[in-house]
Amino acid sequence: MILLRVPMLRALPVLAAAIALGAAAPAPAPSGPMPVPVESAFRDLRAAYRSAPTTERITLSLRRPPAPSLPAIDRSETYIVTLNPSALAPADPPPAAPLLHIDFGPLQLWATQRRVIGLLASDSARYADLPVSPPFSAESLARAIPPLALPQLDLALSDSARPPTTITPYARGIAWTQATVDDADDPTEVTINGATDAGPITLVSDAKSGMLREVRINSRGTLLRLTLEPLATQPGSLTLPNVDDRQRLDSLADLRSSIEPAKIGARTPPLSLMRTDNTAWTPPPAPVVLIMFRASAAGPDPGDPEAVALAARRAWTDTTPASSPLDIRPVAVFDLATAGLYDRVRETARRWTQPPADRTAESGNAADPAKGEGGMGGVLWSHSETTTLAYFAPGSTAAAVVIDPQQRLRAVIPLTREITPDALRDQVRRSLAAPDPDP
């Protein structure tokens, strides 16, 4: 013990002299970023969206830098989301108050655990009333309206004991790797990193409020970025609108009379198309031909929209080289009220991916539903006629929609029993070879 005390005793006169001379004590070093438990970071996020109503302006941007043979993508949209956590509580009957209000400008949506009410600013006489299947979840909501990026809803509905594995329809099967605060002594933001099979995902939240600031998802080189700006919650967002004097409609598609049709040369809006595994589809860096058709109630009968579209695509498959740069995709358009919607989607996919009997016998193999017939793209589907047939081809039940790599509409070709594959292929090629159109 003495040996330990002697150096300290000898140092005391030196310290006293330094104090007498007014020497400044060394400034503490900045603490810098510090890791925190991932589970703790998600508990704070969940608490922020479960404790009180929140309103945020979401700006969604889709970016892909230019690369050899790949055009750039640069698209964005903005919408305002109000989340009412008190209406998320499980109860029987469930709360009648809206748990979610989504403001797209002309289109307003209010969602409860059992229904979605939709109003268009340009249509004061009607409203859409869409059922939501119990129990309420982000997936059941996506069956009622086109899938949307709503990260705050994913967090509010997440299990308090473990981090969520899905954040928006664009990032599923997430494995979270780390969480950090930017400064251990005075943190301002928390960053959580993870990854899916398609690429990394990052969440950035405000350390004080716990609310999200940013979501970044890199999916095979395409960057989806959500920025979230907190806003004051408006009282009208937390109550359902009075629709007593309006005509009730069964789908958002029935409000399409108030929507302007697409214009050749204009950039297409987000299409909200889904693959058969219920993941969102992103347009590829290549020309796309979307063969849209209104899905029939009991399978394709001769002459109905699906049969016409199926015949056109099969004939095209027989005469189109596998090396063709065109991405040809069938798009089945369902009504929201369709019973057993997901079963119907799978049945439709099987019809479109099954080669004719003679070709199957020759090859000895059935087609792969994920890849599609003859090397063509797999089946897509939508339950929004407003953003598909009613937007691109009003009045048509089947049409080929041609979109160039810059996401501009090049042509809309109504499909009938009379159109031949040669005529269809010629119109597609001429539309893509024409000079850049003026919208």
Side-chain angles (χ1 to χ4, degrees), residues 327-376:
D327 188 355
I328 305 170
R329 296 266 181 169
V331 179
V333 181
F334 291 90
D335 188 279
L336 283 171
T338 300
L341 177 60
Y342 282 3
D343 290 337
R344 288 280 314 284
V345 168
R346 287 190 287 268
E347 291 169 6
T348 302
R350 281 194 290 269
R351 287 195 293 270
W352 279 79
T353 55
Q354 179 62 45
D358 56 343
R359 291 173 57 197
T360 303
E362 292 172 4
S363 64
N365 295 304
D368 181 352
K371 296 179 180 178
E373 176 190 345
M376 299 297 178

Side-chain angles (χ1 to χ4, degrees), residues 224-240:
L224 177 75
R225 181 171 180 256
L226 302 172
T227 57
L228 297 91
E229 175 191 354
L231 301 173
T233 298
Q234 302 300 315
S237 302
L238 302 178
T239 57
L240 290 176

Side-chain angles (χ1 to χ4, degrees), residues 112-332:
T112 72
Q113 292 192 33
R114 292 293 182 267
R115 63 195 292 218
V116 176
I117 299 294
L119 299 181
L120 273 177
S122 57
D123 191 337
S124 60
R126 304 180 298 174
Y127 75 101
D129 194 343
L130 318 173
V132 176
S133 301
F136 181 84
S137 65
E139 289 76 16
S140 65
L141 180 65
R143 297 180 200 131
I145 61 175
L148 298 170
L150 301 169
Q152 60 273 79
L153 180 63
D154 296 315
L155 292 165
L157 292 173
S158 65
D159 189 329
S160 59
R162 56 184 179 180
T165 57
T166 296
I167 296 290
T168 81
Y170 307 98
R172 299 175 183 269
I174 306 170
W176 300 104
T177 55
Q178 66 174 357
T180 58
V181 294
D182 59 342
D183 188 292
D185 293 333
D186 187 21
T188 60
E189 67 181 29
V190 181
T191 302
I192 310 175
N193 293 308
T196 69
D197 290 342
I201 175 173
T202 299
L203 308 184
V204 180
S205 63
D206 185 282
K208 293 180 173 57
S209 70
M211 295 170 61
L212 283 172
R213 288 181 176 176
E214 187 178 10
V215 178
R216 297 191 297 270
I217 301 171
N218 193 323
S219 179
R220 296 181 174 89
T222 299
L223 178 63
L224 177 75
R225 181 171 180 256
L226 302 172
T227 57
L228 297 91
E229 175 191 354
L231 301 173
T233 298
Q234 302 300 315
S237 302
L238 302 178
T239 57
L240 290 176
N242 185 347
V243 294
D244 292 344
D245 296 329
R246 294 174 179 252
Q247 178 190 355
R248 182 184 180 277
L249 304 174
D250 292 329
S251 74
L252 290 173
D254 292 332
L255 295 173
R256 64 183 180 270
S257 60
S258 302
I259 297 178
E260 295 184 3
K263 295 180 180 179
I264 301 298
R267 293 176 67 86
T268 59
L271 298 178
S272 298
L273 301 180
M274 303 294 289
R275 300 183 181 91
T276 53
D277 63 357
N278 294 326
T279 59
W281 175 75
T282 301
V288 177
V289 180
L290 299 176
I291 301 180
M292 297 183 178
F293 61 93
R294 185 175 296 158
S296 56
D301 297 320
D304 81 356
E306 183 174 346
V308 169
L310 183 58
R313 185 188 187 235
R314 278 185 169 163
W316 196 335
T317 302
D318 288 336
T319 57
T320 300
S323 59
S324 171
L326 288 176
D327 188 355
I328 305 170
R329 296 266 181 169
V331 179

